[in-house]
Structures are given as C-alpha cells and as structure tokens.
Amino acid sequence: MIKCSTDRKKTGKKIRMIALDLDGTLLTSDKVLTDRTKDVLRRAIEQGIVVLPATGRPLSGIPKEVMEFPGVRYAVTANGARIVDRLEGRILYEDQVSYENGKKVLEICGKYDALLEVYYNGVGYTEESALNRLGDFVPRVPMAAYILNTRRPVENVTELFNRKKLPTDKVQAIFSSEEDCKKAWKEVEDHILDIEITGALCNNIEVNAKGVNKGKGILMLGKILGIEREEIMAFGDGRNDTAMLQEAGLGIAMSNAVEEAKAAADEVTLSNDEEGVAAAIEKYVLDGDV
C-alpha cells in the first residue's frame, strides 16, 4: 500500500525526471525488470520525462535492458561520482576518490576478510580469489551472479591501485561478517578525511569523495538539463539512496527499504518484488496527480 503525503503536491510542479536505484528498487530480488515496469517506463518516456538509473554500480554493471531501454540516455553511476550521457558517449560530471584516500581505505578494509573493489572508467575491478569464494560475501545468488558477470578479475586490487596511482570513482569492500563491516566502517570514518561513506548492503562499505552522493548527482544532472529539484522524482531502498530521496522533489522509498531510506522519503510504495516503482509512477505521474 502506498503511503501518501500531500505537501509536495502543493508546489504545482510536474515531474520531468525520474531517477531509479536498481537493486532492491527497480529490479526484483531476482534482478528482473518486469514487463509491467517496462510498460510504465515506456509510457513515462513517451510523456517526455527523463528516466535514468541512479546507482552505486559502475556503468558496466548496469543491465543492458536498463541502459539500452528506448529513451534512456543518462545514468548517475558509482553513487553520483560519474554522470554519463550514453547517447554521446560523454562524461558529464565526475568527482573521484583521491589516490591517497583510496589507498588508506584499501589498507584498512584489507585487514579484514573482505572482497575489495575499485572502479575505473565505469569498470569494477575485483580480486579473483574473492570471486572464487563469492558466496562467503554475497550469499544471495542473483546478487552474486551480478558481481561475477560484471567485474574484471585481477590478482590483487591493492597492487593494481598502487600501480595505477590514479583517483577512482569508488572503493568498495564487502565483508564476510556484519561485525567486521561495522569495525572497518568506524576505522575508515575515524582515520580518513574528505570522503563519503555509505552502503547498499548490511555488510558493505562504499567510499566516495567528500560530498559525492546520488542526491547531488541527480541535482547536477537536473541543472545540466534545465530541470528543477521540484520536478525530480527518485526511488530507492538503501542507505546509499537516502541523500537522493531527501534531495528529490518527490522521494519514494520501497516498502522493503531500510528505515533510514524510509525516513528520508516523502512516500513509501510497494516492494521491489511487488513492482512498487510501476505502482508509484502510475499513481503520481501517469495519472497526473503530481
């Protein structure tokens, strides 16, 4: 059941952009984009609405059926660190973690049993040894399959990072236990400045440059396209979606969302497995209620 708050409707602004988190939001738990959701997205695009993924994933990790969906041109990736124009093959905006800070994050997280990742130019690099025991870090088969199929395996992520000596879109660590995740999170938070820490899972840390988040990302793209904050609708379910739900003119959390995301949102829709995105777009956009 959709919870509705009416204060946003008093702005009189029509929605011109819809930003969509993927995992736990647009996609079902089996990583499926349903036929009903496809139809709703198509109808929104036909009305001239800019529809885009806003994800923690690198560009190469966005499913083709999403990124190549007719009318989808832009993507906010790596939690807002990189905004891309797929049609023109251009990077519209980027703000990366410095080499020095990325190195410190990897050193701290590397002390724990964790799958380490860095993102370069829209590609995620992961240690092959960790991929070989992926079930220890990501027990859910659909999520594990996504990581396995979209990451570029390397022998040692830290060695790769130190060899390149370049900034990175995002550093991620997925831990074998939530306890280790909490310990590493606090250590990173206490010892490294000028970074943004968030997570989409109960056992991961995602580190971006200071001030980088999906909320800033969608506002930046809106500014580029001449779309005002009040004209942006956003959907999410995780901790890394809270800034986006707060910043959007209409932020909608899924019923399966974490409490932080629900608290940041204006609305709560059905779960990702109940096609909550489609239900909310139909109710508040296609029916002309927003």
Side-chain angles (χ1 to χ4, degrees):
M1 184 173 183
I2 298 176
K3 179 190 80 175
C4 175
S5 61
T6 59
D7 56 331
R8 297 284 180 160
K9 296 182 181 182
K10 295 176 183 177
T11 65
K13 295 285 187 180
K14 290 186 177 180
I15 296 300
R16 297 177 58 203
M17 177 191 292
I18 300 175
L20 302 158
D21 171 58
L22 299 179
D23 303 300
T25 300
L26 180 67
L27 306 176
T28 68
S29 296
D30 291 328
K31 307 303 177 191
V32 172
L33 182 63
T34 69
D35 288 340
R36 177 192 176 193
T37 302
K38 289 178 184 177
D39 179 64
V40 169
L41 296 183
R42 177 187 56 78
R43 289 161 59 198
I45 291 168
E46 286 176 350
Q47 287 190 13
I49 297 171
V50 177
V51 174
L52 68 140
T55 178
R57 297 186 184 201
L59 182 63
S60 63
I62 300 176
K64 285 189 176 181
E65 68 174 340
V66 174
M67 201 63 249
E68 297 180 3
F69 192 87
V72 172
R73 174 173 178 174
Y74 304 101
V76 171
T77 70
N79 291 332
R82 185 178 293 250
I83 303 173
V84 299
D85 179 340
R86 181 184 68 86
L87 187 62
E88 296 188 359
R90 291 193 301 134
I91 299 170
L92 302 180
Y93 172 83
E94 65 179 358
D95 190 353
Q96 299 176 302
V97 180
S98 70
Y99 165 70
E100 293 76 16
N101 279 340
K103 181 179 180 181
K104 293 176 185 176
V105 173
L106 290 172
E107 287 174 350
I108 291 172
C109 294
K111 295 188 298 184
Y112 299 88
D113 185 25
L115 179 153
L116 304 178
E117 295 189 332
V118 292
Y119 292 3
Y120 288 116
N121 299 316
V123 177
Y125 293 83
T126 309
E127 289 187 358
E128 188 170 13
S129 60
L131 290 175
N132 290 337
R133 47 186 290 255
L134 193 54
D136 293 339
F137 308 105
V138 186
R140 288 188 59 85
V141 173
M143 178 62 78
Y146 149 66
I147 292 175
L148 191 62
N149 293 328
T150 61
R151 298 308 195 261
R152 190 168 298 176
V154 296
E155 186 173 346
N156 189 297
V157 165
T158 301
E159 287 182 4
L160 171 73
F161 194 74
N162 290 335
R163 187 169 66 251
K164 283 181 173 290
K165 286 186 168 60
L166 295 171
T168 180
D169 290 348
K170 188 176 85 169
V171 179
Q172 173 168 237
I174 307 177
F175 299 84
S176 59
S177 76
E178 291 185 42
E179 183 179 356
D180 281 353
C181 182
K182 291 176 182 177
K183 290 178 181 177
W185 187 304
K186 187 176 188 310
E187 196 171 345
V188 169
E189 196 170 44
D190 288 347
H191 291 90
I192 307 175
L193 302 176
D194 299 323
I195 58 170
E196 200 82 19
I197 313 173
T198 187
L201 308 173
C202 62
N203 63 326
N204 85 318
I205 292 176
E206 301 175 32
V207 177
N208 290 98
K210 185 68 176 178
V212 169
N213 57 62
K214 292 185 185 182
K216 181 179 177 181
I218 63 172
L219 293 185
M220 180 69 67
L221 180 59
K223 184 177 181 180
I224 292 170
L225 300 179
I227 297 174
E228 298 179 16
R229 170 184 175 272
E230 292 79 10
E231 298 172 316
I232 300 175
M233 182 184 203
F235 290 85
D237 74 299
R239 287 178 293 181
N240 64 335
D241 295 315
T242 56
M244 177 170 70
L245 296 175
Q246 288 172 332
E247 293 291 350
L250 182 61
I252 299 185
M254 315 304 290
S255 66
N256 54 284
V258 299
E259 289 306 313
E260 297 98 315
K262 289 180 180 178
D266 303 292
E267 317 275 348
V268 177
T269 185
L270 303 173
S271 75
N272 62 316
D273 289 326
E274 298 170 302
E275 300 173 312
V277 166
I281 293 175
E282 285 177 333
K283 183 175 180 65
Y284 299 117
V285 180
L286 298 184
D287 292 342
D289 287 339
V290 173

